[in-house]
């Protein structure tokens, strides 16, 4: 997705060979117009599927997911990273290890909002080691819903998450796939290049 | 805002005289079309102001804020509830006590995304005791930015937050102001009724 790659080149900050910071439009400050374009591009990529629910995880997945949901006319559910007192025990729960935060969080989704009748797409901001997506897939499996595929805004293609998940037969659509962050520069895979 | 009040009547669940659960369209599952209408209504209410930044707090404030930002052409910044390792010390920080979760969280915003040049609107999903808004106002004050006002999706008008903040001279626009949750029923204030 050209507009996204251009934005990453323009304002993304390479902090190391592993870390790309895109706090200025995705992870802390949000560019609403770009998020609308991202949501519409997900809808376009999965236009061959009937989707009844968009599943994401707080917080950075919410903006692109909401525009996808608006485009296809489906509600969005965001998994919570910690149980609050107003979430009852009526939840699907999984565990996600965050390499960034170096901690394991429970993620949970109320059983009220995901069921065996649903066709679900999972959306997340980043795909690196694949931990968050694995937790969301686990929740979809617990619910008995059908998983259509996974939409990722930025995939770190030099890490293992995408490879592992694709080998499991999951359809993963990443709008920007990073080949390398070496020498402080962002290099993308071409479309279709693996 | 009629569409919002109708939605609350239709699917909001009164758990006690203090607690209204709207997890089915705002706090866990998101209704994208209603969030678009909410964002556009905030833009309409503050159409007399020039706004350069929408400030909210993760996670439920993000969807309505993003539609507001899209409508007025301004970026959205969401305060984080806990510092992550990729947020540096370059932050404005305040403390927010959550009565729902019975815990105090640091909230923080990077200095990169809020400055004395900004005209800021604060958006949040609920206003009850006003703790979250007070923390966000503190952060705006630290930055030296001008605070235009506060937009709230649902105000619990029978709690003290709105009264206290209005007495401080803040402009608060709430799209649904609840008068009472007694007898399991949601009763709203009329427009202009206090």
């Amino acid at each position: 997705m050209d507009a996204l790659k251009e934005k990453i080149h323009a304002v993304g900050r390479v902090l190391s060979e592993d870390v790309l910071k895109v706090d200025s439009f995705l992870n802390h400050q949000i560019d609403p117009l770009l998020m609308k374009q991202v949501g519409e591009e997900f809808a376009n990529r999965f236009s061959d599927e009937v989707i009844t629910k968009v599943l994401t995880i707080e917080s950075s997945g919410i903006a692109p997911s909401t525009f996808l949901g608006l485009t296809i006319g489906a509600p969005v559910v965001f998994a919570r990273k910690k149980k609050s007192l107003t979430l009852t025990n009526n939840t699907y729960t999984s565990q996600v290890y965050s390499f960034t935060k170096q901690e394991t969080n429970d993620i949970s989704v109320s059983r009220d909002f995901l069921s065996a009748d649903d066709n679900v797409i999972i959306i997340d901001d980043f795909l690196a080691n694949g931990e968050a997506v694995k937790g969301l897939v686990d929740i979809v499996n617990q619910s008995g819903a059908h998983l259509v595929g996974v939409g990722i805004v930025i995939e770190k293609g030099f890490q293992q998450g995408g490879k592992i998940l694709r080998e499991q037969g999951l359809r993963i659509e990443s709008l920007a796939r990073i080949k390398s962050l070496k020498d402080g520069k962002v290099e993308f895979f071409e479309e279709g290049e693996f």
Side-chain angles (χ1 to χ4, degrees), chain A:
Chain A
M1 188 188 164
D2 288 343
L4 174 63
K5 292 177 187 171
E6 285 163 17
K7 189 80 169 187
I8 293 168
H9 275 311
V11 298
R13 288 192 290 150
V14 179
L15 299 190
S16 72
E17 290 193 359
D18 292 329
V19 179
L20 172 69
K21 199 163 171 178
V22 289
D23 270 8
S24 64
F25 66 88
L26 180 60
N27 295 127
H28 185 24
Q29 181 168 257
I30 295 169
D31 179 331
L33 182 58
L34 184 62
M35 292 303 106
K36 177 171 185 281
Q37 293 166 335
V38 163
E40 290 170 353
E41 178 65 15
F42 284 136
N44 184 44
R45 300 254 185 139
F46 287 91
S47 60
D48 54 324
E49 298 276 3
V50 175
I51 295 166
T52 65
K53 202 134 299 186
V54 179
L55 178 63
T56 189
I57 186 166
E58 59 184 355
S59 293
S60 300
I62 293 175
S65 295
T66 302
F67 284 114
L68 169 59
L70 182 70
T71 306
I72 63 176
V76 175
V77 177
F78 60 90
R80 292 221 171 254
K81 279 181 183 156
K82 195 163 71 170
K83 277 178 254 186
S84 83
L85 299 181
T86 56
L87 275 182
T88 65
N89 288 328
N90 182 36
T91 54
Y92 311 110
T93 301
S94 191
Q95 280 74 44
V96 172
Y97 179 72
S98 166
F99 288 86
T100 314
K101 297 187 179 177
Q102 295 178 14
E103 63 186 23
T104 298
N105 283 298
D106 277 1
I107 64 168
S108 58
V109 170
S110 167
R111 289 173 186 266
D112 292 341
F113 305 126
L114 207 56
S115 77
D117 297 330
D118 279 314
N119 287 316
V120 180
I121 184 170
I122 290 172
I123 298 292
D124 206 7
D125 56 339
F126 265 96
L127 174 60
N129 297 287
E131 296 298 315
V133 170
K134 281 181 216 165
L136 292 169
V137 169
D138 181 23
I139 281 175
V140 173
N141 288 340
Q142 289 177 42
S143 77
H146 171 64
L147 180 59
V148 164
V150 179
I152 298 292
V153 183
I154 301 173
E155 177 179 347
K156 293 191 204 166
F158 55 89
Q159 292 184 321
Q160 292 302 303
K163 183 169 183 285
I164 292 165
L165 294 167
R166 287 183 181 96
E167 284 175 355
Q168 292 172 1
L170 275 182
R171 178 179 174 186
I172 315 265
E173 297 277 352
S174 299
L175 304 193
R177 292 189 69 233
I178 295 170
K179 193 171 186 171
S180 159
L181 295 173
K182 286 182 181 156
D183 303 324
K185 284 188 214 158
V186 182
E187 187 186 352
F188 295 106
F189 284 103
E190 299 297 317
E191 294 290 327
E193 180 190 0
F194 281 85

